[in-house]
Amino acid sequence: MTPEQFQQAVLNWFDRHGRKDLPWQQDINPYRVWVSEIMLQQTQVAAVIPYFERFMASFPALEHLAAAPLDDVLAHWSGLGYYARARNLHKCAQKVVSDHCGEFPRDIEALAGLPGIGRSTAGAIASISMGLKGPILDGNVKRVLARLHAVDGWPGQAAVAKKLWQLAETYTPQSCDKNGRGNHYTQAMMDLGATLCTRTRPRCDECPLADSCIARTQGNPQDYPGRKPRKEKPVRTTTMLLLEHDGEIFLQQRPPSGIWGGLWCPPQLEEDDGGEASAQEWLAVRDLSAQQVQGLPQLRHTFTHFHLDIAPVWVQLAKIPAQVAESGGGWYKLRQLNRPRAAQELGLPAPIAKLAKQLLALQAPLLAESPAP
DNA sequence: AAGGCGGGGAT
DNA sequence: ATCCCAGCCTT
């Protein structure tokens, strides 16, 4: 698909289906387009509309904004988020007044040098309001182009961004004057991404680019653009000793601060997943002997910032050793720990409650075989 | 290259 | 809950 064919398809679609009634699409000038583009950074159209209307009512032109107190500008931004945008907006207005005689420079590079205006926003302002060639690469265009060419990878990666920018440059009309319709092209690309080429459930049947879209052909448009790689959560490991005697297990209260502060847990070997072997060593050091030591299936509990892999070991004791009895903590009946609400009442971390349940299931049949006297 | 900024909507 | 959004700036 040549750039000319691409542009024609996009513009034809825009003429029939594009949005043309948004507030910033009326009375188009660089000031209004600039304000709208800044507001639309990381913010959806529906949220922006009332803010844009109020903003224009109070600051109808650049000189009003430049002359306004920053606090006044921030008040108009309240609730939109990303408040650095408002500070930059104000700073930019003053800079345009002081350095550019109150007119935005008609040049992509110069625009992109102003506070709060990056490469994409500069392209949007230039193409929509100035008749210049202004490639843009916002989230919508990234999605359309990544799917059209099946560009793998996360756009946050420099190489992926470079490829997408190259495509954006290629397809953007050379001439953005009346004949080139660069303003409509830019509006159309954003509209396409916002209304058809959506992140989930793209409406490919209605897309003017469907026949050329590689992701569509592959049948996996939803896989583009690649997701930001989730930061790998580190894995911590621990061995938990389920010291059990006669249907009771031993729990200690954890220190008031830190993970599970103040909650009750079995004795724990930190940064250890030796499981059964570690448990044997722990017992030997204390000169304890157990009837049976049995590793149980590993359990993973995920916190906000790490995984905790728990290797539980079931240690059956013939009698309660003095060393353990006096070590601070208490013995709890598994049946009581497994009562409804018991975990909340006593203060048991979720994975510990789960372990208590598992252990009861293992141990109950044994008690049934040899009922207590 | 990665993180921060922020509120809201979709899933 | 998690991810993402008409991004840009700083480190």
Side-chain angles (χ1 to χ4, degrees):
Chain A
M1 193 178 223
T2 68
E4 289 75 19
Q5 291 171 325
F6 181 93
Q7 293 153 17
Q8 200 53 242
V10 166
L11 287 168
N12 285 343
W13 175 84
F14 179 74
D15 288 340
R16 295 183 57 186
H17 304 289
R19 290 177 292 187
K20 303 165 191 78
D21 54 353
L22 297 172
W24 43 90
Q25 293 175 324
Q26 322 307 317
D27 305 319
I28 291 177
N29 62 41
Y31 173 70
R32 288 171 61 86
V33 171
W34 166 59
V35 172
S36 72
E37 288 298 326
I38 301 299
M39 286 186 172
L40 287 161
Q41 288 170 8
Q42 301 298 100
T43 310
Q44 293 179 351
V45 168
V48 164
I49 289 175
Y51 282 87
F52 182 81
E53 303 279 25
R54 284 195 293 271
F55 202 91
M56 284 301 148
S58 296
F59 313 113
L62 183 78
E63 55 265 30
H64 300 100
L65 178 57
L70 175 58
D71 285 348
D72 199 359
V73 180
L74 286 170
H76 283 74
W77 211 268
S78 177
L80 258 192
Y82 281 105
Y83 297 94
R85 292 185 295 174
R87 298 179 208 284
N88 281 334
L89 199 73
H90 190 236
K91 193 186 305 178
C92 182
Q94 295 181 331
K95 196 164 184 177
V96 170
V97 167
S98 63
D99 297 2
H100 300 278
C101 302
E103 298 281 344
F104 280 97
R106 304 179 63 82
D107 173 89
I108 300 268
E109 297 295 318
L111 285 171
L114 292 166
I117 300 180
R119 187 173 172 184
S120 187
T121 299
I125 296 170
S127 63
I128 295 173
S129 71
M130 295 178 173
L132 301 174
K133 172 172 179 176
I136 63 166
L137 191 62
D138 60 27
N140 291 316
V141 178
K142 283 175 190 166
R143 210 159 44 240
V144 171
L145 294 179
R147 287 171 177 172
L148 187 72
H149 285 262
V151 178
D152 290 312
W154 174 54
Q157 293 272 310
V160 179
K162 184 177 175 185
K163 174 65 182 173
L164 292 173
W165 268 112
Q166 180 213 319
L167 290 170
E169 296 269 3
T170 299
Y171 287 126
T172 299
Q174 190 58 238
S175 165
C176 287
D177 56 16
K178 290 172 201 162
N179 297 329
R181 296 187 64 196
N183 54 343
H184 289 175
Y185 172 86
T186 294
Q187 299 274 9
M189 288 298 286
M190 295 192 285
D191 253 13
L192 204 50
T195 64
L196 287 191
C197 198
T198 48
R199 188 167 61 85
T200 56
R201 288 201 283 275
R203 299 153 66 181
C204 299
D205 293 345
E206 304 172 41
C207 179
L209 305 172
D211 289 345
S212 307
C213 182
I214 297 179
R216 150 90 160 157
T217 306
Q218 293 175 173
N220 65 340
Q222 71 282 359
D223 291 344
Y224 298 89
R227 301 270 179 88
K228 174 179 181 174
R230 281 196 211 156
K231 202 168 66 173
E232 190 107 342
K233 291 176 180 171
V235 178
R236 298 189 198 170
T237 58
T238 187
T239 294
M240 284 194 178
L241 301 171
L242 307 177
L243 307 178
E244 184 259 328
H245 169 73
D246 193 22
E248 298 184 339
I249 65 166
F250 181 71
L251 298 178
Q252 297 168 310
Q253 192 166 25
R254 293 183 59 89
S257 67
I259 296 300
W260 297 330
L263 303 186
W264 292 78
C265 286
Q268 195 175 339
L269 310 181
E270 303 285 350
E271 296 306 319
D272 178 296
D273 58 353
E276 198 172 329
S278 299
Q280 295 283 13
E281 186 184 337
W282 187 88
L283 291 167
V285 166
R286 287 160 182 76
D287 200 20
L288 298 177
S289 64
Q291 281 181 320
Q292 192 182 349
V293 176
Q294 179 182 346
L296 301 182
Q298 180 174 280
L299 184 68
R300 168 165 290 194
H301 183 72
T302 300
F303 292 91
T304 315
H305 49 300
F306 66 93
H307 301 290
L308 183 64
D309 282 348
I310 302 169
V313 182
W314 180 15
V315 179
Q316 293 176 258
L317 298 169
K319 61 182 176 61
I320 295 178
Q323 299 97 305
V324 173
E326 295 165 4
S327 62
W331 291 86
Y332 293 85
K333 290 191 187 306
L334 286 169
R335 291 205 181 282
Q336 296 186 359
L337 293 180
N338 280 283
R339 281 190 334 236
R341 318 273 319 153
Q344 289 91 325
E345 287 163 11
L346 178 60
L348 281 189
I352 306 306
K354 190 170 177 180
L355 279 176
K357 185 177 177 182
Q358 289 180 2
L359 191 56
L360 179 64
L362 286 171
Q363 178 254 13
L366 299 186
L367 287 186
E369 286 171 19
S370 54

